[in-house]
Amino acid sequence: GDSVTQMEGPVTLSEEACLTINCTYTATGYPSLFWYVQYPGEGLQLLLKATKADDKGSNKGFEATYRKETTSFHLEKGSVQVSDSAVYFCALSDDNNDMRFGAGTRLTVKP
Amino acid sequence: NAGVTQTPKFRVLKTGQSMTLLCAQDMNHEYMYWYRQDPGMGLRLIHYSVGEGTTAKGEVPDGYNVSRLKKQNFLLGLESAAPSQTSVYFCASSYVRLAGLLSYEQYFGPGTRLTVT
């Protein structure tokens, strides 16, 4: 079945460092891809999404590009802030009844 | 708009006790979902509903039951709680995906932390 594999954490960075969290997927069709963020004590919030190959999703300085040839959707940010500390989940949906999530990557940004 | 709300926020149960978790959404979404979140395992789908009066099993349905009597509410029941059901439970909702259209994102509640001793 469809699945998502994302980089294990935790990831600890200093403020203003560059961030990359790797995500690869396996799917039989042409899924939509998502990054969700979970701040401490809260539910998941959509960070960005891409619905077809070569689409780039972006939000709050984060970006991810839907790469069909490498089945990847890596999350990137050029300069992280302390407020970016959270758990990040990569997910795919080939059918809206069936969203598959990665295990999550915890990011801690230190001042 | 309150979005997706969950009741209660925290609960401690003893093995064998029962309880119901309530999820409510005010966005008129057709689809609703229950997930559990365990360390290192991401979110796993327990049950979902594609509309009022309908429910279906997800990836890990055993030990849980659900009901969707009203469009805005989705209830998750544990008839006889077990320590393996200690987890954080999230409810989510989304718009209906019409044939040929793109998938929509899901909107999540704040979660219920359940401990079974």
Side-chain angles (χ1 to χ4, degrees):
Chain A
D2 294 355
S3 66
V4 173
T5 302
Q6 67 179 99
M7 157 183 181
E8 290 190 17
V11 175
T12 302
L13 295 173
S14 296
E15 205 165 24
E16 299 184 1
C18 295
L19 169 71
T20 300
I21 301 178
N22 291 337
C23 172
T24 57
Y25 68 90
T26 302
T28 52
Y30 300 95
S32 294
L33 301 175
F34 306 84
W35 276 101
Y36 283 85
V37 58
Q38 184 181 29
Y39 298 105
E42 299 183 9
L44 279 70
Q45 303 173 24
L46 179 68
L47 180 60
L48 53 84
K49 69 178 180 181
T51 55
K52 61 182 186 297
D54 300 324
D55 267 3
K56 178 187 281 188
S58 61
N59 186 26
K60 298 182 181 180
F62 291 89
E63 293 182 339
T65 301
Y66 190 141
R67 302 281 187 203
K68 186 165 175 283
E69 63 276 12
T70 54
T71 61
S72 65
F73 193 54
H74 305 322
L75 182 68
E76 298 177 326
K77 187 173 187 183
S79 177
V80 294
Q81 306 299 313
V82 172
S83 57
D84 294 327
S85 297
V87 181
Y88 292 83
F89 292 91
C90 186
L92 69 79
S93 176
D94 202 7
D95 176 322
N96 203 248
N97 293 349
D98 196 11
M99 181 87 73
R100 295 294 175 128
F101 291 86
T105 302
R106 181 176 299 278
L107 170 67
T108 301
V109 180
K110 296 189 173 180
Chain B
N1 274 357
V4 179
T5 57
Q6 293 182 231
T7 309
K9 287 187 168 50
F10 303 94
R11 185 72 186 268
V12 178
L13 289 180
K14 294 185 178 179
T15 298
Q17 287 185 319
S18 64
M19 78 163 294
T20 300
L21 281 67
L22 171 64
C23 175
Q25 54 95 4
D26 61 2
M27 296 175 283
N28 203 34
H29 286 168
E30 287 291 337
Y31 291 1
M32 296 186 75
Y33 313 81
W34 276 108
Y35 293 92
R36 59 178 290 171
Q37 182 182 30
D38 301 295
M41 301 188 72
L43 275 74
R44 292 182 292 169
L45 183 64
I46 304 171
H47 286 280
Y48 63 96
S49 168
V50 300
E52 182 178 322
T54 71
T55 62
K57 294 180 180 180
E59 185 184 354
V60 289
D62 293 342
Y64 304 94
N65 56 76
V66 287
S67 64
R68 183 101 182 267
L69 299 179
K70 295 182 178 180
K71 185 177 183 179
Q72 64 268 32
N73 295 338
F74 194 30
L75 278 63
L76 177 71
L78 287 73
E79 290 186 349
S80 179
S84 61
Q85 293 178 305
T86 294
S87 188
V88 181
Y89 292 86
F90 287 101
C91 177
S93 68
S94 71
Y95 295 103
V96 65
R97 177 181 181 270
L98 300 177
L101 295 183
L102 303 170
S103 295
Y104 292 103
E105 64 266 29
Q106 296 181 9
Y107 294 77
F108 284 81
T112 295
R113 184 174 294 277
L114 175 66
T115 302
V116 183
T117 62

